[in-house]
């Protein structure tokens, strides 16, 4: 197993993989000054390394790297996460400790379901989405590609959030949001 990215997000994924009983061979990073992280070698060429997990928190960067590398991608699911047997988790996704993914939820490719986040029944989460710590998505929520749901945000049942949106920390989303907006507050209002 190899990780692409040698920052703080990589440290969490290493911990998850170790908790799963999996080993990390090395990390890949474009910064030539990085040579080691968490006792693991950092290399600067990813050609031929597989399977990979992209260990970078930025959604757009994760997408760019995933599209550039035609290799196999692995997932990491912390043993202390709760994942329904009927849920689907896409390749390259990472599910942190305490996260809950309930019945028939579908998590896209290269998503981050962060610490203690809750994704309830029948939610549809697009590729490259980040659901931050303690965020709660009620049932039947749809989140478009690349959207970032901030820490502690709540999305009520049945809401649809567009692609590449940013939902502020602590926001309460009570109505559908179009693509590309930033929404904050309770109830969430579009500010950009």
């Amino acid at each position: 197993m190899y990780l692409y990215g040698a920052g703080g997000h990589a440290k969490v994924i290493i911990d998850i993989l170790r908790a799963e009983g999996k080993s990390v061979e090395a990390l890949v990073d474009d910064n030539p000054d990085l040579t080691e992280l968490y006792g693991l070698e950092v290399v600067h060429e990813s050609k031929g390394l597989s399977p990979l997990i992209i260990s970078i928190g930025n959604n757009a960067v994760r997408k760019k790297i995933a599209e550039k590398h035609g290799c196999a991608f692995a997932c990491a699911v912390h043993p202390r996460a709760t994942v329904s047997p009927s849920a689907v988790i896409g390749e390259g996704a990472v599910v942190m400790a305490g996260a809950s993914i309930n019945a028939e939820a579908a998590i896209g490719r290269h998503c981050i379901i962060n610490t203690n986040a809750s994704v309830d029944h029948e939610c549809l989460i697009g590729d490259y989405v980040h659901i931050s710590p303690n965020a709660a998505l009620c049932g039947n929520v749809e989140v478009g590609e690349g959207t970032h749901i901030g820490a502690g945000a709540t999305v009520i049942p049945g809401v649809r959030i567009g692609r590449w949106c940013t939902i502020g920390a602590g926001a309460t989303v009570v109505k559908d949001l179009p693509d590309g907006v930033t929404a904050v507050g309770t109830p969430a209002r579009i500010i950009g």
Side-chain angles (χ1 to χ4, degrees):
M1 181 86 59
Y2 298 89
L3 302 184
Y4 196 113
H9 190 58
K11 292 176 183 178
V12 178
I13 295 174
I14 291 166
D15 284 349
I16 292 169
L17 293 170
R18 287 176 176 167
E20 288 184 287
K22 298 176 181 174
S23 63
V24 177
E25 300 299 319
L27 295 99
V28 180
D29 201 281
D30 296 335
N31 182 347
D33 296 330
L34 293 175
T35 58
E36 180 270 336
L37 181 79
Y38 248 28
L40 296 166
E41 180 184 16
V42 176
V43 298
H44 308 290
E45 174 59 49
S46 61
K47 186 174 183 179
L49 303 182
S50 182
L52 267 180
I53 295 176
I54 303 169
S55 50
I56 295 172
N58 182 290
N59 297 346
V61 172
R62 243 181 5 270
K63 179 177 181 176
K64 181 178 177 182
I65 292 169
E67 289 177 345
K68 176 181 169 186
H69 290 80
C71 65
F73 292 99
C75 292
V77 178
H78 197 285
R80 287 197 331 262
T82 302
V83 180
S84 168
S86 64
V88 176
I89 298 176
E91 71 175 4
V94 177
V95 181
M96 309 292 188
S100 180
I101 301 172
N102 288 318
E104 297 185 10
I107 308 300
R109 298 176 309 121
H110 304 287
C111 287
I112 300 168
I113 310 300
N114 219 312
T115 309
N116 296 322
S118 176
V119 179
D120 220 312
H121 63 88
E122 302 164 295
C123 285
L124 299 175
I125 309 301
D127 298 340
Y128 313 106
V129 168
H130 184 166
I131 309 295
S132 292
N134 297 307
L137 278 58
C138 296
N140 293 300
V141 167
E142 291 185 28
V143 179
E145 175 182 286
T147 288
H148 187 158
I149 307 289
T154 301
V155 184
I156 68 166
V159 166
R160 287 170 176 72
I161 298 172
R163 298 165 38 102
W164 299 99
C165 293
T166 300
I167 308 303
T172 305
V173 183
V174 298
K175 62 181 182 177
D176 293 356
L177 295 171
D179 293 347
V181 299
T182 297
V184 300
T186 300
R189 67 191 188 291
I190 296 171
I191 62 167

